[in-house]
Structures are given as structure tokens and as C-alpha cells.
């Protein structure tokens, strides 16, 4: 490990307990910064309501840490939107945001569009499939941004148990993302959960970053933030244990392909003749190929979008 990374681990890796809530609130009041929490959601009716309810109770009613809580629904066919609204979130459908630009499927697309329907100086992203959710996920990663002006982006780190067994990184993290980062961006080797969906950043940074539209968004954002802001502007906070719905092996393969493609674009801005992934499923006549396109599209920095510029000027 690079000496720079060892130093970073000692100065930019914290526990949620390192910043008590009263200290975070005092910093928020002193600086006047506002906080938006965004939950990207697709068919998460089983969990999104509990997450919204916990954030509203702990961080909006009991203490005024979160200023707005928005669920961006990316086309759910279940009751995700109704459950989220009933729990107290403002629900916005992906397709009504920036309607002149047709939406494409993907998590990164939803995160990018969320910048147009939120106002917070700090934007906190939380995945909507978490179980046994604790508001420490929000306060833990927002805290350093409110208390330390030199920090621009904070990732949550946690254990991720799988089938009852303790674990740290997810399967795609350990098999794809961590090797890529260690080999090509060794300054980022200290991140425990580089692909984690729980992180917070200053709007002033997010609006300057391109957003891969799909599963590559977390890796792309981390790499781009490193180049734009530097390692010392990045941090991570231990928030305990993350429990969520696990993907099957083939879905993980598609995630890994998208992440590899995101890394490849950042390494060389190269061109793949055939950016796709073929997998196999057993059918009546044996193994049948299924070919999926790999996410290659990226959205430009939001600060370049005319509607966003107009909103900032208003």
C-alpha cells in the first residue's frame, strides 16, 4: 500500500461515533449548509418506507439535520412511490425530471437527475433496499462534510454479511472493483466499500462530475473525484453493518462488466467494438446464450445543463 494511502487511512477514515450528533448540528447551524437525502428506488416497496420513516423521525423531527428527503422512482411497477410518499418523502418520477432528455435505465441516471430536483449544499445518496436501517448511515457520512471544509465526498464503510456469514466487501467489489482500483488507481486502495451506494458529497463537486448512467456510477464518481479534488478531499466513515437484498450471479456479472467498462473509459477513453456481455442460461435444449448491452453512456456534468444553470441563476 502506498504511504500516501496509509496516511490517508489514519486521517480520513472515521467511525460514526467520532462525531456526536450535537457536534454535527452545531456545525450545520454555524455554517448554514443544507442537506438533501436522495433515495434512488426501483421496486423497493418492502424497504423504502421504513428507511424514509427512520430518516424523518431521527433526522428531521427529533433533530433538524436533513432539510429535504426525496425518493426518485425510476419506473417501479410495485407500490414503491405510494409507500415512500405515505412515509413522508417527496417522490419524483425520473421521467419528469429534465423531460427534454429521454431517460435511460440505470441507477446513475437517477442520481444525476436528482441534482435538478434537490437544493441541498450537501447531497446524501442512500440505497432504497436496506433492511434494519439506522439513521447513522446518514449522519455518519454527512458529519465530516459539515464539520470539515476540506472534505468533499464521504463514502460509508460497513460489513456486508452474505448468507449469515460475516463479510466486508461485496462480491463485485472483491472480484472486480478492488483489483481495478489497486492496479490502476492505487490512491483509492484504502476505500473499504468503493461501490457502496451510501455516500454524501458537496453539490459543488457533484455538479462537476460526469455520471455513468448504470452500475458504474460509484466507481466512476470515485475516480473522477480523485482527479478533480484530490485524495485528501475524500473520506470514509464506518457505520456498522449493511443488510440488503443480494443479486444473483448473472446480475453480478452484468454489474461487473459495467464497472469494467467504466474503468476502461477512464483509463484510455478507448472504444469497444462490441460493448456487450454474453451469459448462459439452461433452457429446454441445453444452455442458451443471453446477450446484454454494457452500460456505456454517461451524462455530462450537471453544471453544463442549461436548465441547471438557469436554476442556479434564479
Amino acid at each position: 500500500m502506498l504511504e500516501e494511502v496509509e496516511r490517508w487511512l489514519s486521517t480520513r477514515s472515521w467511525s460514526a461515533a467520532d462525531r456526536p450528533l450535537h457536534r454535527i448540528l452545531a456545525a450545520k447551524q454555524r455554517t448554514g449548509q443544507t442537506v438533501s437525502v436522495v433515495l434512488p428506488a426501483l421496486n423497493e416497496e418492502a424497504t423504502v418506507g421504513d428507511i424514509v420513516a427512520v430518516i424523518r423521525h431521527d433526522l428531521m423531527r427529533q433533530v433538524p439535520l436533513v432539510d429535504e428527503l426525496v425518493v426518485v422512482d425510476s419506473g417501479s411497477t410495485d407500490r414503491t412511490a405510494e409507500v415512500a410518499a405515505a412515509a413522508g418523502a417527496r417522490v419524483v418520477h425520473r421521467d419528469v425530471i429534465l423531460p427534454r432528455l429521454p431517460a435511460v435505465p440505470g441507477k446513475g441516471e437517477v442520481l444525476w437527475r436528482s441534482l435538478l430536483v434537490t437544493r441541498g449544499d450537501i447531497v446524501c445518496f442512500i440505497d432504497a433496499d436496506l433492511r434494519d436501517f439506522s439513521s447513522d448511515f446518514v449522519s455518519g457520512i454527512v458529519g465530516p462534510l459539515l464539520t470539515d471544509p476540506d472534505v468533499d465526498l464521504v463514502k460509508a464503510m460497513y460489513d456486508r454479511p452474505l448468507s449469515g456469514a460475516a463479510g466486508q466487501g461485496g462480491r463485485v467489489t472483491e472480484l472486480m472493483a478492488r483489483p481495478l482500483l489497486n492496479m490502476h488507481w492505487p490512491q483509492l486502495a484504502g476505500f473499504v466499500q468503493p461501490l457502496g451506494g451510501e455516500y454524501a458529497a458537496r453539490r459543488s463537486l457533484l455538479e462537476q462530475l460526469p455520471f455513468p448512467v448504470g452500475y458504474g456510477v460509484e466507481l466512476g464518481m470515485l475516480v473522477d473525484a480523485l482527479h478533480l479534488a484530490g485524495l485528501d478531499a475524500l473520506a470514509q466513515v464506518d457505520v456498522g453493518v449493511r443488510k440488503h437484498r443480494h443479486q444473483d450471479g448473472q446480475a453480478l456479472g452484468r454489474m461487473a462488466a459495467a464497472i469494467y467498462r467504466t474503468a476502461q473509459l477512464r483509463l484510455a477513453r478507448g472504444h469497444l467494438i462490441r460493448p456487450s456481455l454474453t451469459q448462459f442460461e439452461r433452457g429446454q435444449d441445453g444452455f442458451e446464450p443471453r446477450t446484454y448491452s454494457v452500460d456505456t453512456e454517461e451524462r455530462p456534468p450537471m453544471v453544463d445543463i442549461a436548465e441547471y444553470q438557469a436554476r442556479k441563476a434564479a
Side-chain angles (χ1 to χ4, degrees):
M1 182 178 290
L2 298 176
E3 286 187 16
E4 180 182 9
V5 176
E6 292 182 351
R7 176 193 56 78
W8 178 84
L9 281 169
S10 66
T11 60
R12 287 289 187 265
S13 292
W14 299 296
S15 165
D18 291 338
R19 289 174 177 78
L21 198 51
H22 68 83
R23 179 184 166 197
I24 297 172
L25 286 170
K28 183 178 190 290
Q29 293 167 358
R30 184 177 65 253
T31 62
Q33 297 175 91
T34 54
V35 177
S36 299
V37 175
V38 173
L39 276 66
L42 177 63
N43 295 329
E44 301 295 356
E45 69 171 302
T47 50
V48 68
D50 289 341
I51 298 171
V52 169
V54 169
I55 295 172
R56 280 189 58 81
H57 177 269
D58 292 1
L59 303 179
M60 299 180 82
R61 294 194 184 113
Q62 286 198 332
V63 297
L65 180 63
V66 173
D67 298 283
E68 65 176 344
L69 174 55
V70 179
V71 171
V72 182
D73 185 9
S74 58
S76 297
T77 56
D78 65 3
R79 298 181 61 253
T80 291
E82 292 88 341
V83 170
R90 176 162 63 96
V91 179
V92 184
H93 195 283
R94 173 200 63 196
D95 294 349
V96 305
I97 308 170
L98 201 61
R100 71 169 176 84
L101 196 63
V104 297
K107 178 184 179 182
E109 177 83 352
V110 175
L111 301 184
W112 182 72
R113 288 176 186 259
S114 75
L115 296 180
L116 262 170
V117 293
T118 55
R119 293 278 184 177
D121 302 304
I122 294 168
V123 182
C124 174
F125 298 119
I126 300 291
D127 279 351
D129 66 342
L130 303 187
R131 295 182 287 107
D132 301 332
F133 177 76
S134 166
S135 58
D136 286 348
F137 272 71
V138 175
S139 58
I141 57 179
V142 165
L145 294 162
L146 289 169
T147 59
D148 190 336
D150 295 327
V151 174
D152 288 338
L153 184 149
V154 182
K155 297 278 292 188
M157 57 177 168
Y158 33 67
D159 292 310
R160 292 183 62 183
L162 177 64
S163 301
Q168 289 185 346
R171 289 165 288 175
V172 177
T173 293
E174 299 301 338
L175 295 174
M176 177 60 70
R178 202 178 306 286
L180 280 172
L181 292 175
N182 275 264
M183 288 186 289
H184 299 297
W185 296 281
Q187 286 177 293
L188 298 174
F191 276 93
V192 176
Q193 294 290 354
L195 300 185
E198 293 70 44
Y199 49 98
R202 300 191 191 280
R203 177 176 295 272
S204 57
L205 173 65
L206 292 172
E207 66 186 13
Q208 297 182 69
L209 299 178
F211 276 60
V213 299
Y215 287 122
V217 62
E218 273 84 25
L219 183 133
M221 187 178 296
L222 204 56
V223 170
D224 293 340
L226 172 68
H227 290 303
L228 190 63
L231 182 60
D232 283 339
L234 314 180
Q236 60 185 351
V237 172
D238 187 350
V239 296
V241 178
R242 182 188 197 267
K243 297 179 181 178
H244 67 116
R245 173 174 42 81
H246 292 284
Q247 303 273 11
D248 63 35
Q250 292 209 333
L252 295 177
R254 297 191 290 275
M255 291 173 62
I259 289 161
Y260 179 80
R261 173 60 171 169
T262 300
Q264 182 194 47
L265 288 172
R266 277 151 182 78
L267 285 168
R269 292 292 162 183
H271 175 68
L272 277 181
I273 296 174
R274 188 171 178 268
S276 60
L277 173 73
T278 298
Q279 296 176 317
F280 293 88
E281 298 176 5
R282 184 181 288 280
Q284 292 183 347
D285 299 321
F287 285 102
E288 300 174 356
R290 299 284 187 272
T291 299
Y292 302 88
S293 62
V294 174
D295 296 321
T296 58
E297 187 171 353
E298 296 195 5
R299 294 303 192 188
M302 184 57 78
V303 74
D304 294 338
I305 300 299
E307 289 88 340
Y308 190 79
Q309 294 173 4
R311 196 191 75 169
K312 290 188 71 175

